[in-house]
């Protein structure tokens, strides 16, 4: 089963790039500087920021549906990120190195399955979940801090 893991489109984040801290605070966004690697995963590039890089910490609605699973959470976006990651049949290093929560959803965006796995088990979990024809897409979250990490779709 072929799959794709893609980063978030940078378009909605572009207006935030370069704003001063006061303007960001007015929008509920915080600028942070990475002080370790790993630790600051960009949701556009699906890479961990290098120490010293600036990121925006903001609330993002990753499951904008009209059902009980509608969801939003904090994410990091590298300030100035433009290159949308796209991994076909490949697990990004950022995910492979973390403890993850994988959630399967049907075409109505209702959760049908979920489990916590090590990043080294993610590919096997993706393939197993997509064996079920009712699984439309997957959401991957970092298990320890719970942040949305990426969406997985059939390729």
């Amino acid at each position: 089963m072929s799959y794709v893991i893609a980063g978030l489109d940078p378009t909605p984040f572009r207006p935030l790039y370069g704003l001063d801290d006061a303007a960001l605070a007015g929008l509920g966004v915080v600028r942070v500087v990475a002080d370790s690697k790993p630790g600051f995963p960009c949701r556009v590039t699906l890479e961990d920021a290098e120490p010293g890089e600036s990121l925006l910490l903001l609330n993002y609605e990753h499951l904008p549906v009209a059902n009980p699973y509608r969801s939003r959470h904090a994410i990091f976006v590298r300030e100035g990120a433009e290159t949308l990651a796209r991994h076909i049949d490949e697990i990004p290093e950022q995910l492979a190195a973390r403890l993850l929560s994988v959630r399967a959803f049907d075409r109505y965006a209702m959760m049908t399955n979920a489990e916590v796995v090590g990043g080294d088990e993610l590919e096997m979990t993706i393939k197993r979940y997509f064996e079920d024809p009712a699984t439309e897409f997957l959401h991957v979250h970092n298990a320890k801090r719970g942040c949305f990490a990426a969406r997985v779709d059939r390729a």
Side-chain angles (χ1 to χ4, degrees), residues 39-72:
F40 297 85
C42 176
R43 297 315 191 276
V44 172
T45 64
L46 297 182
E47 300 170 329
D48 279 290
E50 296 293 332
E53 281 190 277
S54 176
L55 299 100
L56 302 174
L57 177 60
L58 60 120
N59 193 268
Y60 177 76
E61 188 170 22
H62 58 273
L63 195 55
V65 295
N67 75 27
Y69 290 104
R70 182 176 184 168
S71 190
R72 56 186 314 125

Side-chain angles (χ1 to χ4, degrees), residues 25-127:
L27 298 169
V29 179
V30 176
R31 178 177 286 113
V32 298
V33 176
D35 61 6
S36 63
K37 182 178 179 182
F40 297 85
C42 176
R43 297 315 191 276
V44 172
T45 64
L46 297 182
E47 300 170 329
D48 279 290
E50 296 293 332
E53 281 190 277
S54 176
L55 299 100
L56 302 174
L57 177 60
L58 60 120
N59 193 268
Y60 177 76
E61 188 170 22
H62 58 273
L63 195 55
V65 295
N67 75 27
Y69 290 104
R70 182 176 184 168
S71 190
R72 56 186 314 125
H73 204 283
I75 63 167
F76 288 112
V77 172
R78 262 192 188 116
E79 195 158 12
E82 290 294 335
T83 305
L84 170 77
R86 185 170 170 82
H87 298 268
I88 299 174
D89 297 333
E90 174 187 54
I91 305 298
E93 182 180 328
Q94 180 193 94
L95 298 178
R98 289 181 163 82
L99 184 63
L100 304 167
S101 170
V102 183
R103 302 163 189 184
F105 293 89
D106 66 14
R107 68 185 184 140
Y108 304 106
M110 294 295 290
M111 191 181 303
T112 59
N113 210 338
E115 65 187 282
V116 174
V117 300
D120 60 336
E121 300 171 88
L122 181 57
E123 184 166 56
M124 177 181 55
T125 304
I126 290 168
K127 289 179 177 182

